[in-house]
């Protein structure tokens, strides 16, 4: 069954599996102990640290192993902020960071700090100058992902790192999505990553803190991992993580070229095959294996279910039924349609045939969902044909834009449709719909119940 | 090579190995996802939680998997303290807790909270009434280990839990050392444990929070594990941890009886075989597999090295060369000799023959260390034979008591030896020496340099 969600978690790489099983026998003892089994564990740990550091492009003593990428981010952000508390308590992050960064920023605000979220362009990338403009004298830390986890857009890390260096602000790079493809260039100060994203085992993250960066680990004292990652080392998994990172990097260039061709095919074909579908993210500056698109008039969870039934495992940043950070804060920050969103992230080794099958199955799956959702219009009409009021109060995404799509043809070019909706996603989706359908979004204002969104027909 | 340090980390149990390898293929996907691989991962996670909960004796929804026992303690203490902040900020712990608990207490104090360390008896156990007496109206949390990690003494958890319940204070039990042998009885509120202590893989801890206990997870938000353990679940290791806990419990009663006989043998024979050796900890209320003894006039690290050379891997709570929490806070709290300390903790399956060989090797190893340390007396003598001054300024443990042992016979019964020392361990060791050698510790007072400790010869 084709698994196309490597960005969530990659299947275990054969090298990781082999290294893990070998290390189970050699690496279960406490590396802090001086007897034979402890010394053997220590040697494995040291070797893994050297291998991982070489793959990241840092010194071994700058890298510690955490229990996950999320923990690396939490500890890295908290430690860097505390290390520069005297400078100030201002934190800069992009608006499309992973939830671990955004939740760290929120925790910082709860403790009285300030956090600024830099907006992104429609591609999902920050503008390096806009990012640099957010740096202040009291900025303690800036965070920018190397590439976005939902849409694959590569961020201008080197330019932003240069601006941060010039301003004397350390930059933390969340490299979770890009590290499988190679080291992160640029003069960054801290870096985080997650083993199970590159085909290593779960339970291992990386936190790199460059020499000279002020850092004060938070939480109760613990002597493990230079005091930056408390708890007994997850050694066999660490050994497997380091070994597989090297193996993955050795294959990266060739596999990236192959997968880039497959994702380019998806980017080109989806809009041809599926009516009212929009591919999002930067077409050029992007991860090789990841492509995201949104389909109008489709509920993402239902579409995922259809695709799962057809044998394809993909992910969605869509709203409506998921519990957290939904609708996708990334798509929202980009101003992209959040409904009917599908993220395809190919694991290394993904087969050409499977991608072709996916493209063959997708149009039918989207059509099936649209048919299920093709509910009757629940609209009251005002007198006169120049303007029309569509009452979809109480109806959830994607019904508001489905109904809007049905009635826009009922007013003449130059006429308006006013949508009354109390679904908060409507604010995003009606704008995105206008962008896709080349109609004009006139504005919104509070109504007796919900909000009135006005759209002018221009074509 | 006999490995006798199970209390640090146990070799991987065959069931853990088997379950881990099986779960590598089935459990690498994100259990939060709805496609097939995600649902399969979720089923594995749910089954592991049920198995672990049954072994602990709690409801599955009361148990989360953390990345280590240390993380479970850090998160458990912080969350319970925050959950009861309105009640007060007073924390009660025993003085012989694991460093993860004591460091959590120190972090609480740094943040303005109060922490009280309840003293222990000479066996290493708290007195339940003394512990109960430390509870106050503003006590937010109490912590007591189920059994001590350095000397094996079992704590009166049920009695203390009863007192805590009566006072309305939640009790957190660190069960890291005892859980391999069975569930912890008593009406406790929170419990922590560590997989690699029972032969499961590293990278997995347990945090149990009983229903009804106020708990507010600290740190950045994360939706995994009921919001109590951030980061992607370490699923194959979790599966292996749960499976091996069940397996270990199935074997526990029989193996406990066998190992108890072996450790009883060590307890009885060491004082016969090694002059000036003292077995510490409670002779009856103790873990089945763990025995600790201290040898006068011996440096612990050197003895460990001798035993390692002879093929035995043991641990030491001794001072002098180790970096953290040394000399052992446990031995210090018990008033036991900290020098020449050896902890033997037998893994399940430890062979009778290996224990016999250990007992055969030990006397020679201790004698070798004593010979190496048999430094000449660096003492200046006062006039008169009734009292004598021993100047060991600048000399480190165990030299002060070695020299004291050499000169005590030079004064008549009733006479005194005053030891001038600037080694802070001397305060502990000279008292412990007096206890062991049935001499009288008269007192101590500041000297021009260091401290003057006076000992009266009574036998």
């Amino acid at each position: 069954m084709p698994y196309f969600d490597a960005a969530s978690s990659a299947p275990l790489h054969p090298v990781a599996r082999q290294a893990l099983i070998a290390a189970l026998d050699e690496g279960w003892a406490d590396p802090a102990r001086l007897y034979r089994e402890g010394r053997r564990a220590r040697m494995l740990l040291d070797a893994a640290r050297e291998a991982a550091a070489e793959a990241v492009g840092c010194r071994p003593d700058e890298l510690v192993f955490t229990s996950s990428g999320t923990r690396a981010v939490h500890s890295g952000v908290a430690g860097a902020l505390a290390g520069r508390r005297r400078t100030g308590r201002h934190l800069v992050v992009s608006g499309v960071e992973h939830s671990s960064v955004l939740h760290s920023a929120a925790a910082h605000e709860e403790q009285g700090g300030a956090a600024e979220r830099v907006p992104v362009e429609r591609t999902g990338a920050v503008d390096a100058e806009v990012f640099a403009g957010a740096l202040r004298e009291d900025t303690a830390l800036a965070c920018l992902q190397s590439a976005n986890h939902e849409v694959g857009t590569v961020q201008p890390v080197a330019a932003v790192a240069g601006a941060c260096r010039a301003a004397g602000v350390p930059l933390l790079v969340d490299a979770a999505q890009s590290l499988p493809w190679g080291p992160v260039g640029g003069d960054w100060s801290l870096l985080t990553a997650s083993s199970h994203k590159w085909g290593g085992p779960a339970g291992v993250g990386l936190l790199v803190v460059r020499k000279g960066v002020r850092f004060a680990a938070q939480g109760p004292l613990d002597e493990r991992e230079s005091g930056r990652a408390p708890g007994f080392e997850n050694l066999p998994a660490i050994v497997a993580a380091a070994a597989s990172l090297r193996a993955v990097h050795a294959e990266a260039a060739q596999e990236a070229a192959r997968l880039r061709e497959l994702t380019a095919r998806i980017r080109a074909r989806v809009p041809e095959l599926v009516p009212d579908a929009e591919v999002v993210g930067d077409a050029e500056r992007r991860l090789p294996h990841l492509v995201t698109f949104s389909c109008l008039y489709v509920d993402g969870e239902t579409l995922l279910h259809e695709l799962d039934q057809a044998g394809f495992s993909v992910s969605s940043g869509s709203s409506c039924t998921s519990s957290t950070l939904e609708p996708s804060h990334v798509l929202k920050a980009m101003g992209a349609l959040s409904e009917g969103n599908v993220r395809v992230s190919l694991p290394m080794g993904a087969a050409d045939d499977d991608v072709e099958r996916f493209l063959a199955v997708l149009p039918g799956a989207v059509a099936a969902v649209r048919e299920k959702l093709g509910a009757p219009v629940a609209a009251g009409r005002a007198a006169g044909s120049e303007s029309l009021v569509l009452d979809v109060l109480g109806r959830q995404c994607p019904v508001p834009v489905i109904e809007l799509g049905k009635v826009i043809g009922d007013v003449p070019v130059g006429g308006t449709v006013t949508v009354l909706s109390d679904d908060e996603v409507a604010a995003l989706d009606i704008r995105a719909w206008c962008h896709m359908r080349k109609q004009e979004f006139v504005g919104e204002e509070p109504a007796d119940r919900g909000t009135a969104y006005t759209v002018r027909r221009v074509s």
Side-chain angles (χ1 to χ4, degrees), chain A:
Chain A
M1 170 163 170
Y3 175 80
F4 285 172
D5 196 22
S8 282
S9 189
L12 201 66
H13 192 282
V15 166
R17 188 188 162 90
Q18 201 176 358
L20 181 63
I21 291 172
L24 290 178
D25 296 328
E26 299 286 316
W28 50 267
D30 184 346
R33 299 290 175 186
L34 300 177
Y35 42 67
R36 191 172 312 193
E37 295 85 351
R39 296 195 304 269
R40 207 165 55 194
R42 166 64 53 187
M43 284 193 304
L44 287 175
L45 180 58
D46 289 347
R49 196 184 315 281
E50 279 167 30
E54 196 189 334
V56 169
C58 68
R59 291 164 41 160
D61 60 353
E62 294 174 330
L63 182 148
V64 301
F65 294 105
T66 64
S67 60
S68 67
T70 292
R71 277 289 189 194
V73 167
H74 290 182
S75 300
V77 171
L81 285 172
R84 284 176 43 92
R85 192 166 285 163
R86 285 187 196 170
T87 301
R89 303 195 66 193
H90 183 245
L91 169 67
V92 176
V93 302
S94 90
V96 296
E97 295 296 310
H98 184 261
S99 59
S100 56
V101 174
L102 295 180
H103 286 145
S104 290
H108 181 57
E109 287 175 315
E110 271 174 32
Q111 288 161 14
E116 187 162 340
R117 291 154 191 85
V118 176
V120 294
E121 300 173 338
R122 210 177 156 80
T123 59
V126 297
D127 179 308
E129 285 183 26
V130 172
F131 197 101
L135 302 174
R136 309 192 314 210
E137 285 221 338
D138 66 337
T139 302
L141 177 68
C143 300
L144 179 64
Q145 61 196 186
S146 53
N148 185 267
H149 51 299
E150 284 194 31
V151 301
T153 299
V154 170
Q155 300 289 354
V157 168
V160 166
C164 286
R165 183 66 62 177
V169 173
L171 177 70
L172 183 150
V173 176
D174 167 14
Q177 290 297 334
S178 81
L179 194 63
W181 304 105
V184 177
D187 192 13
W188 45 265
S189 295
L190 301 100
L191 181 140
T192 60
S194 174
S195 159
H196 74 104
K197 305 284 191 192
W198 70 67
V204 182
L206 305 182
L207 170 60
V208 179
V209 183
R210 292 278 196 204
K211 284 290 151 196
V213 174
R214 286 183 186 278
F215 194 88
Q218 298 301 286
L221 203 71
D222 190 274
E223 75 273 20
R224 308 263 173 192
E225 290 297 289
S226 309
R228 291 175 180 170
F232 189 81
E233 292 90 347
N234 187 3
L235 192 49
I238 285 171
V239 169
S244 55
L245 182 57
R246 284 170 71 107
V248 160
H249 276 190
E251 303 155 359
Q254 195 176 349
E255 187 64 2
R258 197 180 69 85
L259 295 185
R260 184 174 289 277
E261 196 280 317
L262 293 180
T263 49
R265 198 184 305 171
I266 297 172
R267 292 184 72 89
R269 300 260 309 272
V270 163
E272 296 166 6
L273 294 167
V274 180
D276 296 321
E278 179 188 35
V279 175
V280 297
D282 197 300
E284 297 302 323
R285 290 181 52 81
R286 62 182 180 86
L287 292 170
H289 66 306
L290 198 157
V291 52
T292 297
F293 53 87
S294 294
C295 307
L296 259 182
Y297 315 140
V298 167
D299 167 55
E301 295 290 340
T302 310
L303 179 56
L304 254 52
H305 184 69
E306 288 285 336
L307 291 169
D308 178 51
Q309 294 284 91
F312 292 91
S313 299
V314 296
S315 180
S316 171
S318 272
S319 57
C320 305
T321 63
S322 268
S323 55
T324 50
L325 280 176
E326 301 288 2
S328 161
H329 68 284
V330 172
L331 299 176
K332 194 169 171 183
M334 293 166 61
L337 186 74
S338 73
E339 67 182 45
N341 177 258
V342 172
R343 177 183 70 182
V344 173
S345 52
L346 304 177
M348 293 190 177
D352 191 307
D353 281 359
D354 285 339
V355 170
E356 282 302 322
R357 282 209 299 120
F358 175 76
L359 289 171
V361 158
L362 181 69
V366 172
V369 177
R370 284 178 175 160
E371 195 181 321
K372 281 184 197 167
L373 290 170
V377 179
R381 265 181 210 201
S385 61
E386 282 295 312
S387 68
L388 182 152
V389 174
L390 177 67
D391 178 351
V392 285
L393 290 164
R395 309 297 299 275
Q396 296 266 302
C397 149
V399 170
V401 288
I402 288 179
E403 299 303 325
L404 173 58
K406 285 184 186 167
V407 302
I408 191 73
D410 293 354
V411 298
V413 169
T416 61
V417 176
T418 297
V419 185
L420 294 176
S421 170
D422 51 5
D423 179 11
E424 61 182 72
V425 181
L428 180 62
D429 283 350
I430 293 172
R431 281 180 175 81
W433 181 91
C434 289
H435 179 84
M436 284 178 72
R437 305 310 294 261
K438 312 273 187 277
Q439 307 294 353
E440 180 190 349
F441 184 78
V442 177
E444 65 175 77
E445 54 183 4
D448 285 349
R449 273 181 65 203
T451 304
Y453 303 91
T454 302
V455 173
R456 173 168 292 119
R457 182 175 171 195
V458 291
S459 61

